[in-house]
Amino acid sequence: MNPLLLGHVIIFSLSAIACVATIPQARKIQHPETREGLIVFLGSVAIWSGGYIGYLLAPTRAGKLAFYIFGFTFAFVAVGAWLYFCAAYTGRPPRHVPFRNLILGTFLFFTALKVTNPLHNLYFTTEWVTEPFPHLVIHHELLYWIVLGLSYAAIAVGFFVLMERFHHTSSDSRPLVVLVGLSGLPAVATIIGGQVDWLLPLMYEPPGVALFAVGTLLFYRQRFEAIRLTGESDKPAIFLDQETRIQDYNQAARKLFPALEDSLGEPLEAVNTALADHLTKQDILAVTQDSETWYYDVSSTPFLAGEVTTGQLVTVSDVTERESYRQRLEEKTEQLEALNRVVRHDVRNDMTVILGWAEILKDHIDEDGEDALDRVLQKSRHVIQFTEVAREFVESLSKEGTAELEEIQLQPLLDAELAAVRDSFPNAQFHVSGELCDVSVQANEMLSSVFRNILENAVRHNDKETPEITVSCEENSETVRYRIADNGPSIPDHQKEQIFGKGEKGLDSPGSGIGLYLVHLLTDQFGGDVWVEDNDPTGSVFVVELPIHKPSNKAS
């Protein structure tokens, strides 16, 4: 065999063998679309090189032409696979690219032109020669060079999006640039092939593309996977290997942790001990920069090759606003608990003493002072009751998470509360219209505060000589409604929500202070609602609606 022919066969054979041999490694890539793109890229370059081998070794003109067109067609497939790989790698779904059908139609059009070249010779013409060995000479025509230029432009687009991703992750792109430079050398051979004796007028890109494809795979296994993972999010991200050594990071991570600069290959613990500790902790990482403290949630996602963990992606999420809000809530809770202690111990104890001494005075004052003393006793009892409401209010706010609810029978609870208010307010009249609903609801011991506050509020804010309060209830398949009607002054429409502290006013809303706000908070905790309506002819109706608890609910 002619040495020049043998050299060409060896070069293209090595290109095909290298691509086929590295496909099993490409199959280990986890990201599906990236894996598909690289496998098709390697396979199309292998077939492209194989077509040139057939072109060189086929004994007949027809055979050489068929092999050349076959390989030449897969050159175009390789370009498409390269763009597919670049799009998938950089987070651009290849199957949803704009003008997808137009791109596919263009590809099929040019492929058809290649396959039908013997009919129109727009791509190339052929000539049989015997020097330096018998072979079919390919003369490239204008369309060939136009398509070649477009192909290189498309390849350049792929390189651009890769370099953009490398820049975003602050990764060293020099190995990729070197790889591109080496793979581009065969393009020079394509251009000067017709003027150099030891070169044939062929498209020599297969060896260069094979070099790039194999190099990309090797580089991908070492660096590309880390870059893809760290570049998928704008959040600070760091890619670690099995031994928590830093493999890559993005610009956001380097900005947040300046010590990451030039830290590739170093253990994370040696670069940032606090961050390394938070990989296994559930608490928040505090970072202080320029006298300001920022808070971050550190999460780790394992990177697997089959069932083996080969690394982990550490993502750092800014939770400063959430953490600051939590700290403010903790501070408010501490303040409420302090207020609760003051109200419960100091104010309540002092008022109990005052009430005790005032009751002793009953037998030591004349008739003119009895009215004043009754007012003192009434206000003293009111303050003591107020401290109890304040305690319940603070406890309702201090409960962590969702309140623990249990099944509570409403009828005995209402009977007990009505008995209590009848004793506390002997001058008021309390009526029950019809039967109290014998149903259960999901609540806790604080449910009694809901009805007690509404019943007491109906008396305290009543301007009639004899307050009259009527309790009724109605139920349907899902809810029960208790209506507590009074004969006091009506509540203006614009204050019907504000008295519960709903909206922005909270405790500053006009009305009865924290008692009704507590009612609103508790009914909301129990999955119900409370509102006020007008009574006829005068007064107000407070409506408490709660979901009925049935035995079947337990199963659900």
Side-chain angles (χ1 to χ4, degrees):
M1 181 180 292
N2 182 280
L4 183 59
L5 173 61
L6 179 61
H8 279 74
V9 171
I10 291 175
I11 289 175
F12 287 110
S13 297
L14 290 176
S15 302
I17 292 171
C19 290
V20 173
T22 51
I23 286 178
Q25 289 296 319
R27 293 174 63 88
K28 297 179 181 179
I29 295 173
Q30 279 201 319
H31 190 238
E33 293 181 326
T34 303
R35 179 178 63 245
E36 294 166 1
L38 194 53
I39 290 176
V40 174
F41 184 45
L42 290 166
S44 58
V45 174
I47 296 174
W48 185 10
S49 300
Y52 277 9
I53 297 170
Y55 156 76
L56 292 170
L57 298 180
T60 64
R61 180 190 184 100
K64 290 179 178 293
L65 185 60
F67 274 112
Y68 183 80
I69 293 175
F70 181 71
F72 193 37
T73 300
F74 274 89
F76 213 25
V77 176
V79 174
W82 166 248
L83 290 177
Y84 188 98
F85 164 78
C86 293
Y89 178 80
T90 55
R92 299 169 172 86
R95 294 183 176 88
H96 300 91
V97 296
F99 310 109
R100 177 172 174 268
N101 292 333
L102 177 61
I103 294 172
L104 181 60
T106 303
F107 169 78
L108 294 175
F109 173 73
F110 282 110
T111 300
L113 286 178
K114 289 182 179 183
V115 173
T116 59
N117 184 78
L119 301 177
H120 49 70
N121 294 323
L122 293 176
Y123 265 107
F124 59 87
T125 57
T126 59
E127 178 186 3
W128 186 267
V129 298
T130 58
E131 296 295 334
F133 56 86
H135 66 282
L136 187 67
V137 175
I138 304 296
H139 297 293
H140 297 129
E141 300 299 328
L142 178 62
L143 183 59
Y144 167 84
W145 296 107
I146 292 174
V147 173
L148 182 64
L150 293 175
S151 298
Y152 272 108
I155 292 171
V157 171
F159 281 123
F160 174 79
V161 296
L162 282 183
M163 298 301 291
E164 182 184 38
R165 172 53 57 90
F166 274 54
H167 172 73
H168 177 69
T169 57
S170 300
S171 300
D172 184 8
S173 58
R174 288 175 295 182
L176 183 63
V177 173
V178 172
L179 198 60
V180 172
L182 292 175
S183 62
L185 291 177
V188 178
T190 299
I191 296 174
I192 64 174
Q195 287 75 41
V196 180
D197 294 338
W198 49 273
L199 290 177
L200 298 177
L202 296 176
M203 192 176 184
Y204 283 92
E205 276 74 8
V209 176
L211 173 65
F212 180 80
V214 174
T216 296
L217 178 59
L218 297 177
F219 193 57
Y220 185 94
R221 298 298 296 171
Q222 296 177 10
R223 303 276 288 137
F224 266 36
E225 187 67 4
I227 295 168
R228 183 184 68 80
L229 289 171
T230 54
E232 284 184 342
S233 173
D234 291 333
K235 298 178 181 179
I238 305 170
F239 183 67
L240 307 176
D241 65 8
Q242 290 174 301
E243 300 176 357
T244 68
R245 291 191 296 260
I246 299 171
Q247 297 299 299
D248 223 311
Y249 50 86
N250 59 12
Q251 289 189 40
R254 185 179 66 175
K255 183 178 180 180
L256 181 60
F257 306 108
L260 288 174
E261 186 76 34
D262 300 324
S263 64
L264 296 182
E266 296 183 19
L268 180 62
E269 185 176 0
V271 176
N272 192 304
T273 305
L275 180 59
D277 291 342
H278 278 74
L279 292 181
T280 55
K281 292 182 179 180
Q282 298 297 322
D283 56 347
I284 301 299
L285 172 66
V287 178
T288 302
Q289 290 182 340
D290 300 328
S291 301
E292 292 189 23
T293 301
W294 304 83
Y295 298 95
Y296 297 90
D297 181 40
V298 180
S299 60
S300 176
T301 304
F303 178 62
L304 304 174
E307 297 182 356
V308 179
T309 301
T310 59
Q312 57 182 314
L313 177 66
V314 179
T315 304
V316 184
S317 304
D318 188 349
V319 293
T320 302
E321 184 176 352
R322 187 188 73 190
E323 181 65 14
S324 299
Y325 180 68
R326 185 190 66 80
Q327 291 179 359
R328 291 196 300 270
L329 286 181
E330 284 187 353
E331 183 179 352
K332 287 181 180 296
T333 300
E334 292 176 358
Q335 293 171 350
L336 286 171
E337 290 174 350
L339 172 63
N340 186 30
R341 288 193 296 271
V342 171
V343 170
R344 285 284 294 160
H345 295 90
D346 300 346
V347 177
R348 184 181 178 88
N349 290 345
D350 289 347
M351 288 308 304
T352 302
V353 172
I354 292 172
L355 180 61
W357 282 106
E359 289 177 341
I360 293 176
L361 291 176
K362 276 187 174 182
D363 300 329
H364 301 281
I365 62 172
D366 54 24
E367 294 182 359
D368 294 337
E370 287 183 358
D371 182 63
L373 181 59
D374 288 340
R375 291 178 183 271
V376 171
L377 292 172
Q378 181 182 356
K379 290 299 181 183
S380 297
R381 294 188 183 99
H382 178 244
V383 171
I384 293 174
Q385 182 64 33
F386 178 83
T387 63
E388 188 65 23
V389 173
R391 178 190 66 81
E392 294 172 347
F393 171 69
V394 172
E395 288 181 354
S396 70
L397 294 182
S398 300
K399 292 183 181 296
E400 296 183 1
T402 304
E404 294 185 3
L405 306 181
E406 59 184 359
E407 182 179 354
I408 292 182
Q409 292 283 340
L410 273 181
Q411 185 177 6
L413 184 143
L414 260 296
D415 287 337
E417 291 305 318
L418 285 170
V421 292
R422 285 187 176 111
D423 290 339
S424 299
F425 303 98
N427 295 329
Q429 295 183 6
F430 295 88
H431 308 284
V432 175
S433 177
E435 297 280 336
L436 292 178
C437 298
D438 186 16
V439 296
S440 299
V441 296
Q442 283 285 87
N444 55 32
E445 69 278 1
M446 298 292 288
L447 180 59
S448 59
S449 295
V450 172
F451 294 102
R452 183 169 67 250
N453 274 284
I454 295 177
L455 290 168
E456 292 179 354
N457 186 75
V459 177
R460 290 198 179 100
H461 296 275
N462 200 304
D463 57 357
K464 299 298 189 295
E465 182 176 351
T466 302
E468 293 185 11
I469 292 87
T470 302
V471 179
S472 62
C473 70
E474 57 188 37
E475 61 177 296
N476 55 37
S477 60
E478 300 293 331
T479 62
V480 59
R481 286 183 181 178
Y482 270 86
R483 304 174 67 85
I484 302 173
D486 63 64
N487 63 339
S490 299
I491 299 174
D493 290 341
H494 69 278
Q495 289 188 357
K496 281 186 169 63
E497 286 195 2
Q498 294 179 10
I499 61 171
F500 295 105
K502 296 180 179 179
E504 298 179 358
K505 289 184 176 293
L507 293 178
D508 294 331
S509 64
S512 308
I514 66 174
L516 291 181
Y517 185 44
L518 176 64
V519 169
H520 163 60
L521 289 178
L522 292 174
T523 53
D524 186 63
Q525 283 186 4
F526 304 151
D529 196 7
V530 60
W531 64 90
V532 62
E533 301 173 353
D534 292 329
N535 197 11
D536 185 23
T538 183
S540 302
V541 180
F542 283 79
V543 184
V544 178
E545 182 181 71
L546 295 169
I548 295 176
H549 176 71
K550 299 179 181 179
S552 59
N553 295 146
K554 296 180 180 180
S556 62

